[in-house]
């Protein structure tokens, strides 16, 4: 089974999607190849069947490459976003193609560590192309209800955790003017009972995140 290359997958260099003309139907799949020999004489059949072949070409191409659509390394970007919805992972538009690929590849491992320091570090490095610095207060609080925690609604009280996300320059350029989306995403990955403060900044140049290898997928 042939997997689509970059030009046929509709993946753009900036992580977006492009629409390319459908490739011609393979000769062995053309309707003309299925006609009896008597109908192949002359060019009438070619001209008549050509319209059907052009219509069926995208469908044939997709079916030939169906396996590749479900493999993160070869799936189109819009298909990666669709697969992320299966796990309830809603990533903001500022997340690039590599981050979405890693989120799908590391899905079970990423969600298994959600709400932990290791999970935040994995999310930051593999999905956000960033580093994370976490400072915890070390304090405790006892109450009958979660809303009894003063840090959850009193601005004068320091939060239990201070999470600082430092984006790479490339990620910072993608997230320009949309850092609040990153803050909301990281906030959702904090433990449910922890009132934390999330801040996002852009740091110096560093090694960008790379697609996760199959060995990293647990």
């Amino acid at each position: 089974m042939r997997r689509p290359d970059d030009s046929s997958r509709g993946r753009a260099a900036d992580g977006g999607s492009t629409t390319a003309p459908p490739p011609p139907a393979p000769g062995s799949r053309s309707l003309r190849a299925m006609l009896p020999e008597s109908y192949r004489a002359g060019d009438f059949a070619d001209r008549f069947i050509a319209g059907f072949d052009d219509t069926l070409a995208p469908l044939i191409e997709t079916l030939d490459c169906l396996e590749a659509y479900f493999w993160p390394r070869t799936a189109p970007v819009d298909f990666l976003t669709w697969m992320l919805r299966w796990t309830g992972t809603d990533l903001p538009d500022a997340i690039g193609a590599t981050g979405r690929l890693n989120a799908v590849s590391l899905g079970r491992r990423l969600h298994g560590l959600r709400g932990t320091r290791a999970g935040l570090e994995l999310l930051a490095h593999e999905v956000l192309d960033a580093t994370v610095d976490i400072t915890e207060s070390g304090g405790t609080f006892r109450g009958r209800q979660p809303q009894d925690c003063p840090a959850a609604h009193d601005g004068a009280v320091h939060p239990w955790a201070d999470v600082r996300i430092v984006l790479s320059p490339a990620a910072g350029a993608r997230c320009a003017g949309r850092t609040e989306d990153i803050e909301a995403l990281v906030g959702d990955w904090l433990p449910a009972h922890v009132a934390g403060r999330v801040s996002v900044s852009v740091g110096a140049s560093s090694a960008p995140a790379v697609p996760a290898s199959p060995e990293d997928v647990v």
Side-chain angles (χ1 to χ4, degrees):
M1 180 175 291
R2 181 170 59 87
R3 290 179 175 175
D5 56 18
D6 288 340
S7 61
S8 62
R9 287 203 308 266
R11 177 174 295 174
D14 60 355
S17 299
T18 59
T19 302
S28 60
R29 304 294 182 86
S30 173
L31 293 178
R32 185 178 185 279
M34 304 177 188
L35 293 176
E37 186 66 29
S38 58
Y39 285 97
R40 299 183 193 177
D43 63 347
F44 174 76
D46 288 340
R47 291 185 285 108
F48 182 75
I49 295 297
F52 294 99
D53 281 344
D54 291 343
T55 302
L56 293 174
L59 178 60
I60 295 174
E61 179 76 5
T62 299
L63 292 176
D64 283 345
C65 307
L66 188 60
E67 179 187 12
Y69 277 78
F70 293 94
W71 184 251
R73 287 181 175 274
T74 54
V77 176
D78 52 354
F79 206 81
L80 286 175
T81 302
W82 184 55
M83 285 194 289
L84 283 171
R85 296 196 184 105
W86 297 354
T87 61
T89 305
D90 188 15
L91 297 180
D93 295 338
I95 304 299
T98 300
R100 295 177 184 276
L101 186 156
N102 288 344
V104 174
S105 299
L106 301 172
R108 186 170 63 177
R109 178 181 172 191
L110 194 62
H111 283 277
L113 295 173
R114 187 168 185 168
T116 66
R117 176 185 288 268
L120 283 174
E121 292 173 348
L122 189 65
L123 175 73
H125 184 264
E126 301 292 348
V127 178
L128 302 180
D129 190 13
T131 58
V132 59
D133 182 28
I134 304 173
T135 303
E136 298 183 59
S137 67
T140 60
F141 180 85
R142 186 179 69 177
R144 293 182 179 274
Q145 300 293 333
Q147 58 267 27
D148 292 341
C149 172
H153 53 74
D154 189 352
V157 179
H158 293 291
W160 291 357
D162 192 1
V163 182
R164 294 178 293 277
I165 300 292
V166 182
L167 300 171
S168 70
R174 289 194 303 268
C175 300
R178 295 183 289 182
T179 55
E180 65 277 0
D181 294 338
I182 304 300
E183 294 175 0
L185 174 65
V186 175
D188 287 341
W189 282 73
L190 294 178
H193 62 282
V194 173
R197 177 175 57 199
V198 180
S199 60
V200 178
S201 61
V202 180
S205 178
S206 59
V210 296
S213 62
E215 292 77 11
D216 292 333
V217 181
V218 179

